[in-house]
Amino acid sequence: MTIRLGDVVPDFDAETTEGPIRFHEWLGDSWGVLFSHPKNFTPVCTTELGQVARLKPEFDRRNVKVIGLSVDPLDAHAKWSDDIAETQGYAPNFPLIADPERKVSDLYDMIHPNASDTLTVRSVFVVGPDKKLKLSLTYPASAGRNFDEILRVIDSLQLTATHAVATPANWKDGDDVIIVPSVSDEAAKEKFPQGWKTLKPYLRIVAQPGK
């Protein structure tokens, strides 16, 4: 199944390391990050889950729930957590979905047959409180993900969801932003009374709202 930006993401029931969940209900009013890893007891995945555990307070601060997935059974997740804690210094402090029958993996198109017909690729889905897809990323099994970048994009998504701005290349929280072209100069005077810098009629730079 292809899930496009703006689509309501599929709901599902799943067994996790923190008990059974129904995805939409589990998300509640929070943002969510669903990410898959190809297989338990593999080196890159071990580093990724340790990194997400380390960054959990940053996700919490942004009202983002994180949940991982692999096609391994539930008991394998529990055994692997000890290895992650030992080697990375952080044990998983978020739920991991056990998907041995590949129900969720197939629902979210996480298995790419030309890469592997059994293991998931490294998929990332960022879901808004409205249960719509805001961002999707796909990495090959050989490349670990940059979760600082995922946090950066979430900052952008949350900012642009509530203000008429867009974020430029390499933007970080606190940097200047761009007034979206659909906002006229007259409307911008009301939204941004502090003023802005016009580089081109379509490129107006303004301080990040709320900073």
Side-chain angles (χ1 to χ4, degrees):
M1 177 179 181
T2 300
I3 309 170
R4 297 182 174 89
L5 297 182
D7 288 352
V8 174
V9 300
D11 199 8
F12 59 83
D13 294 299
E15 293 295 327
T16 82
T17 51
E18 297 185 3
I21 66 159
R22 187 161 186 83
F23 187 52
H24 284 192
E25 181 180 296
W26 175 80
L27 281 173
D29 295 327
S30 300
W31 290 69
V33 173
L34 168 62
F35 69 102
S36 62
H37 54 272
K39 189 173 178 59
N40 292 6
F41 302 103
T42 52
V44 176
C45 299
T46 299
T47 64
E48 286 190 324
L49 267 69
Q51 179 72 351
V52 174
R54 184 183 72 81
L55 291 172
K56 177 72 158 42
E58 291 298 318
F59 286 104
D60 291 343
R61 186 167 65 83
R62 293 164 171 82
N63 189 33
V64 178
K65 293 182 176 180
V66 293
I67 188 165
L69 174 147
S70 86
V71 295
D72 291 282
L74 200 59
D75 61 344
H77 285 346
K79 293 175 183 176
W80 188 30
S81 292
D82 293 337
D83 287 1
I84 296 168
E86 178 186 346
T87 62
Q88 306 303 306
Y90 294 87
N93 47 11
F94 52 89
L96 298 174
I97 295 169
D99 191 34
E101 296 179 0
R102 309 195 314 187
K103 292 180 179 178
V104 180
S105 302
D106 288 338
L107 192 62
Y108 278 72
D109 196 27
M110 294 175 179
I111 294 177
H112 296 193
N114 288 331
S116 169
D117 59 3
T118 58
L119 305 180
T120 60
V121 291
R122 297 188 192 282
S123 299
V124 181
F125 300 92
V126 176
V127 183
D130 56 3
K131 310 301 183 291
K132 292 181 179 180
L133 182 66
K134 307 301 182 183
L135 171 81
S136 63
L137 297 168
T138 301
Y139 289 67
S142 58
R145 286 161 283 201
N146 185 332
F147 287 94
D148 289 318
E149 165 63 7
I150 291 170
L151 284 169
R152 186 194 75 86
V153 176
I154 289 170
D155 285 339
S156 174
L157 290 168
Q158 293 183 340
L159 175 68
T160 58
T162 54
H163 297 280
V165 297
T167 55
N170 298 331
W171 174 88
K172 292 181 180 178
D173 185 38
D175 290 351
D176 289 348
V177 295
I178 299 166
I179 301 172
V180 295
S182 60
V183 175
S184 68
D185 283 349
E186 285 303 311
K189 289 176 184 177
E190 295 184 11
K191 292 179 180 292
F192 309 103
Q194 77 276 22
W196 61 87
K197 181 179 181 181
T198 300
L199 302 181
K200 292 288 182 181
Y202 57 84
L203 183 54
R204 295 166 293 174
I205 307 298
V206 69
Q208 178 178 327
K211 295 292 185 179

